[in-house]
């Protein structure tokens, strides 16, 4: 507990909710004292020397004196290895049984008494002491795992083993990923905890851990790119140290990663290749990303504290009267009756279905918050207690319901690791649909139980079904929100099979992209919070979650007009474009910041609307290929070292490079370009990369550059259709792109339209797949 937490804890004693939170925290502590095993004495173990091997499809088993290692290369080149008999399943991240073994991969003897598995795309070498190396086919080492170490209780009844795995990567490598991290997107030297956590207030770049952690590392080096995923949901800690190349004839110091887990299996997937190939493989392994409805790619407005239906109407009318495009309004917990989930305050929202119909006719959807905690004693709680034989709620080691303190008061928590509970919970969304809601955002699902000290979550001794495996909250905590997202998604698909759901979640785990996206959570209303917003979206995209975005303007404060505009300019180029604020915070409607800001905001929102067909294409490409909408500038050329260190700009798909202004008072900024020709979309000026340029960035706009030869689907000037905007390729070169039109509200894949751009004499011609010239194209950059 730091000083801020101590002050908050003392203040909490002065409120009824605070006193209940104190009691809940003491109950949690007592439950863990009784329900968690006391490990007592432990003994350390290492694999020992290699004693034998057994070939199996895709690789084989290597037996050591005190452990055994399974190595398997799958079809497509994904590498799986595990110790002590752990298999790829069961897994909350991996889809189905995982990919099939590669029948062409062979286990053969290596030098120094070791063995290796050789395949077309990757070689895995294992030393006689148990070190594992992942190499390119040419023999370059991408990652080296030292022999692991376990600490096992002397008394086996006291639980399983804790373990440590140390890894080395090339000296020039850079680390990315680990879920949603405010520091980044490049992860510097330091410790990163793997425990989904509500940070209790606004966060900035120094906050860690946060809502959504994953043991997923993307490592980029000259030798190649790889992704490493340690498939283990237990509490853990990753310590990273970047390497250093030796000067002159000096030796290199490799980069290092140390992973300590408090339990669970020691198993790992590694995917190698270009960034695009790696994330395509990751998508195949953990599931294709959900495609949001077309309207969810527009601008959305949320507020904790709308207060009434009339206030919602007033805000929506404000957007309409000013000609500002608005796709959705989000209702926070204040629209509930006493903050109780799946209820409505009938006094303040007397006809919510009518309000939803009225807004829908104006092109605006209603989105509902959904919290997992259920008020003890209400109708949802009674319904949950009747599920199955033991009820729907998490219980402690004595079989009693675990109770925590959340917004409604004393609450119980559904066990989303139980299939029957997921089915029951999914059915509850019928009430939300009947109220007229078109989308849902899951909050407080780390899960949170207010606490003045310690973790503000459930007791670690709380019991979970874990889909038949059984276990406690140490294993169930990080996958709790993933189970809730699955329950909501599957329930909505059952209730409305003709419409793809819109769902995003504050917390989650590897594979959550199957059920929707995420958002930043309670980012602070500061310039540091603005920078953290970009870091989160980039890092999550490299972990396979392509749809995300921040609370534009920050959550808990009152941004200055300049900060608000700069945040809006960033948000307009991110997948989830949503303003949101706390009940005590300043307003987020553009006109509240004065006429100049309102005019600038109108231009930002108009450009987002114009680009919405491009976002639709990116959404479908993310599902097909695993490529995030928002990509680091090194995406296409990871071998360019200067680009690997660029953290203040990003690619939006293949066509656009966006350079947001992240510093107060800045009216110019440096932009580092990848190779090729790039056009400033505001001035039409052309620049050649690689290199760095200096561009104007007045408060009304940020630098956005288009790649030469790119094809952008944009909304037509009339607003009733789609047209192509093409940027001329350099002379002697060609270009092209793809367009995927939204197939409607269902689950259709959409037809892929491919276009080629080339010079013919003094004109730029755009042709379709059949070689037929396309009419009505706007060509820029001539």
């Amino acid at each position: 507990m730091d000083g801020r937490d101590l002050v908050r804890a003392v203040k909490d004693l002065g409120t009824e909710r605070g006193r209940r939170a104190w009691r809940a925290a003491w109950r949690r502590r007592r439950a863990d004292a009784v329900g968690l095993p006391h490990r007592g004495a432990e003994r350390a173990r290492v694999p020992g020397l290699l004693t034998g091997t057994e070939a199996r499809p895709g690789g084989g088993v290597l037996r050591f004196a005190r452990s055994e290692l399974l190595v398997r290369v799958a079809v497509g080149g994904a590498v799986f290895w595990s110790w002590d008999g752990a298999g790829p399943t069961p897994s909350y991240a991996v889809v189905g049984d995982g990919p099939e073994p590669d029948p062409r991969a062979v286990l053969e003897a290596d030098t120094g008494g070791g063995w290796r598995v050789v395949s077309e795309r990757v070689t895995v070498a294992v030393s006689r002491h148990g070190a594992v190396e992942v190499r390119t086919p040419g023999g370059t080492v991408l990652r080296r795992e030292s022999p692991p170490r376990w600490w096992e209780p002397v008394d086996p009844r006291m639980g399983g083993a804790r373990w440590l795995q140390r890894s080395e990567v090339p000296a020039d490598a850079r680390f990315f990923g680990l879920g949603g991290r405010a520091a980044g997107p490049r992860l510097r030297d330091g410790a990163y905890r793997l425990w989904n956590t509500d940070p209790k207030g606004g966060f900035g770049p120094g906050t860690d851990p946060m809502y959504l952690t994953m043991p997923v590392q993307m490592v980029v080096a000259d030798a190649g790119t790889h992704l490493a995923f340690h498939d283990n949901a237990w509490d853990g800690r990753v310590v990273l140290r970047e390497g250093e190349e030796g000067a002159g004839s000096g030796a290199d110091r490799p980069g290092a990663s140390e992973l300590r887990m408090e339990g669970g299996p020691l198993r790992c997937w590694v995917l190698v290749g270009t960034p695009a190939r790696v994330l395509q493989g990751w998508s195949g392994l953990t599931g294709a990303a959900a495609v949001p409805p077309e309207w969810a790619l527009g601008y959305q407005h949320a507020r904790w504290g709308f207060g009434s239906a009339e206030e919602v109407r007033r805000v929506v009318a404000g957007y309409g009267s000013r000609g500002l495009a608005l796709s959705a309004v989000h209702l926070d917990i204040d629209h509930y009756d006493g903050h109780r989930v799946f209820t409505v305050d009938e006094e303040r929202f007397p006809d919510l279905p009518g309000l939803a119909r009225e807004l829908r006719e104006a092109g605006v959807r209603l989105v509902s918050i959904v919290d997992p905690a259920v008020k003890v004693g209400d109708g949802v709680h009674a319904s949950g207690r009747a599920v199955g034989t033991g009820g729907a709620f998490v219980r402690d080691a004595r079989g009693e319901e675990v109770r925590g303190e959340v917004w409604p008061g004393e609450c119980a928590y559904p066990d989303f690791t139980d299939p029957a509970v997921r089915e029951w919970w999914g059915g509850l969304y019928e009430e939300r649909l009947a109220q007229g809601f078109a989308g849902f955002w899951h909050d407080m699902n780390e899960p949170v139980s207010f606490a003045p000290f310690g973790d503000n979550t459930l007791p670690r001794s709380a019991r979970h079904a874990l889909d038949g495996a059984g276990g406690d909250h140490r294993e169930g905590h990080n996958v709790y929100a993933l189970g809730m997202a699955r329950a909501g998604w599957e329930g909505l698909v059952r209730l409305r099979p003709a419409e793809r759901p819109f769902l995003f979640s504050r917390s989650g785990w590897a594979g959550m992209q199957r059920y929707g996206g995420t958002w930043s959570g309670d980012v602070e209303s500061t310039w540091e919070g603005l920078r953290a917003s970009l870091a989160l979206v980039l890092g999550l995209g490299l972990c396979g979650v392509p749809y995300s975005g921040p609370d534009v303007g920050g959550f808990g404060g009152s941004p200055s007009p300049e900060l608000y505009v700069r945040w809006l300019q960033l948000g307009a180029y991110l997948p989830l474009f949503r303003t949101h604020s706390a009940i005590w915070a300043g307003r987020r409607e553009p006109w509240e910041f004065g006429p100049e800001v309102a005019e600038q905001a109108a231009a930002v929102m108009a450009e987002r609307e114009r680009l919405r067909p491009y976002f639709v294409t990116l959404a479908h490409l993310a599902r097909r290929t695993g490529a995030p909408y928002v990509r680091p500038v090194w995406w296409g050329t990871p071998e360019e070292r200067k680009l690997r260190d660029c953290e203040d700009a990003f690619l939006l798909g293949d066509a656009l490079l966006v350079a947001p202004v992240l510093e107060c008072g800045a009216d110019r900024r440096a932009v580092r370009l990848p190779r090729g020709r790039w056009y400033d979309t505001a001035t039409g000026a052309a620049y050649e990369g690689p290199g760095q340029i200096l561009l104007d960035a007045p408060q009304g706009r940020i630098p956005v550059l288009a790649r030469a030869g790119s094809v952008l689907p944009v909304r037509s000037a009339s607003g009733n259709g789609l047209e192509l905007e093409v940027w001329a390729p350099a002379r002697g070169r060609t270009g092209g792109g793809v367009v995927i039109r939204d197939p409607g509200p269902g689950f259709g894949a959409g037809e892929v339209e491919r276009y080629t751009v080339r010079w013919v004499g003094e004109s730029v011609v755009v042709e379709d797949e059949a070689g037929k010239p396309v009419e009505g194209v706007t060509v820029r950059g001539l």
Side-chain angles (χ1 to χ4, degrees), residues 144-508:
R144 183 181 189 276
E145 307 278 358
S146 299
R149 181 181 294 270
W150 295 268
W151 287 270
E152 300 168 323
V154 173
D155 184 347
R157 296 173 300 175
M158 295 298 103
R162 301 180 295 116
W163 52 265
L164 163 69
Q165 178 73 70
R166 290 191 173 97
S167 312
E168 290 183 354
V169 297
D172 66 288
R174 296 289 182 260
F175 294 100
F176 302 86
L178 294 181
R181 303 288 169 174
R186 172 185 161 194
L187 300 178
R188 264 65 172 191
D189 296 3
Y192 302 87
R193 191 179 175 197
L194 298 168
W195 187 254
N196 293 347
T197 303
D198 176 1
K200 300 180 182 179
F203 68 83
T207 306
D208 193 88
M210 295 203 309
Y211 311 98
L212 205 169
T213 66
M214 298 183 203
V216 178
Q217 294 179 20
M218 175 77 87
V219 183
V220 184
D222 288 354
T225 300
H226 74 270
L227 180 149
F229 168 51
H230 287 85
D231 192 354
N232 183 318
W234 281 65
D235 189 3
R237 188 176 300 272
V238 179
V239 178
L240 299 179
R241 187 194 67 191
E242 291 185 342
E244 184 177 346
E245 293 183 293
S249 59
D252 289 351
R253 175 171 62 81
S257 169
E258 178 182 285
L259 174 61
R260 290 179 180 268
M261 300 299 292
E262 293 301 310
L266 203 176
R267 56 185 180 179
C268 183
W269 289 91
V270 177
L271 298 95
V272 304
T274 64
R277 182 183 290 276
V278 165
L279 280 184
Q280 185 170 27
W282 179 244
S283 176
L285 182 66
T286 61
V291 177
E294 192 272 344
W295 58 264
L297 295 168
Y299 170 73
Q300 306 174 54
H301 182 91
R303 179 171 177 81
W304 175 18
F306 269 123
S308 68
E310 289 310 309
E311 174 66 3
V312 172
R313 290 188 174 95
R314 186 191 72 80
V315 170
V316 172
Y319 280 100
S321 66
R322 294 167 174 84
L324 302 176
L326 177 66
S327 287
V329 169
H330 297 222
L331 299 188
D332 212 312
I333 55 174
D334 51 304
H335 88 278
Y336 283 140
D337 180 8
H339 295 158
R340 294 177 298 121
V341 68
F342 299 119
T343 66
V344 174
D345 186 330
E346 299 286 352
E347 184 175 334
R348 291 185 294 164
F349 292 87
D351 181 16
L352 195 51
L355 174 64
R357 286 193 298 272
E358 177 185 328
L359 297 183
R360 185 71 172 263
E361 290 171 1
V364 180
R365 271 73 170 181
L366 269 186
V367 176
S368 172
I369 193 171
V370 177
D371 285 356
V374 174
K375 171 73 171 176
V376 170
D378 79 351
V380 176
H381 184 244
S383 168
R385 298 192 76 171
V387 173
T389 57
F393 301 103
V394 176
R395 296 182 176 273
D396 62 22
R398 298 170 297 179
E400 301 294 324
E401 271 186 13
V402 171
R403 303 285 174 83
E405 180 68 20
V406 201
W407 301 118
E410 188 178 31
C411 291
Y413 297 81
D415 181 5
F416 296 115
T417 68
D418 185 328
V421 175
R422 291 197 295 267
E423 184 174 2
W424 162 74
W425 185 265
L428 297 177
Y429 289 75
E430 185 173 14
E431 179 271 341
R432 297 282 87 187
L433 295 175
Q435 296 290 351
F437 288 108
F440 307 91
W441 51 301
H442 289 175
D443 199 6
M444 307 292 285
N445 56 350
E446 288 71 32
V448 171
S449 173
F450 295 148
F453 55 87
D455 274 354
N456 55 338
T457 189
L458 306 188
R460 292 179 171 236
S461 58
R463 305 299 298 172
H464 290 277
L466 294 175
D467 288 271
D472 59 37
H473 198 63
R474 294 174 297 175
E475 186 174 2
H477 175 86
N478 281 341
V479 297
Y480 187 86
L482 179 70
M484 182 184 179
R486 178 180 177 181
W489 176 272
E490 292 177 347
L492 291 166
V493 170
R494 288 196 305 271
L495 292 166
R496 288 196 175 172
E499 295 184 22
R500 59 185 187 268
F502 176 50
L503 188 155
F504 61 103
S505 172
R506 189 169 80 173
S507 187

Side-chain angles (χ1 to χ4, degrees), residues 297 533-534 537 548-550 569-577 608 615 629-630 650 652:
L297 295 168
S533 297
L534 177 56
V537 175
S548 68
Q569 290 166 342
L570 169 64
Y573 294 95
L574 302 180
L576 173 59
F577 183 24
R608 172 59 177 241
F615 277 90
Y629 312 31
V630 171
F650 60 91
L652 181 61

Side-chain angles (χ1 to χ4, degrees), residues 626-639:
Y629 312 31
V630 171
R631 308 164 188 177
V633 291
W634 48 258
W635 176 260
T637 53
E639 66 278 6

Side-chain angles (χ1 to χ4, degrees), residues 43 168 217 301 367 529 543 633 640 648 668 677 721:
R43 62 166 63 93
E168 290 183 354
Q217 294 179 20
H301 182 91
V367 176
C543 292
V633 291
E640 294 189 21
D648 60 356
R668 305 186 80 192
R677 174 172 294 179

Side-chain angles (χ1 to χ4, degrees), residues 561 565 568-569 595-605 699-700:
V565 168
L568 205 66
Q569 290 166 342
E596 183 180 2
V597 169
E599 182 179 349
Q600 293 165 347
V604 171
M605 294 177 181
Q699 185 168 310

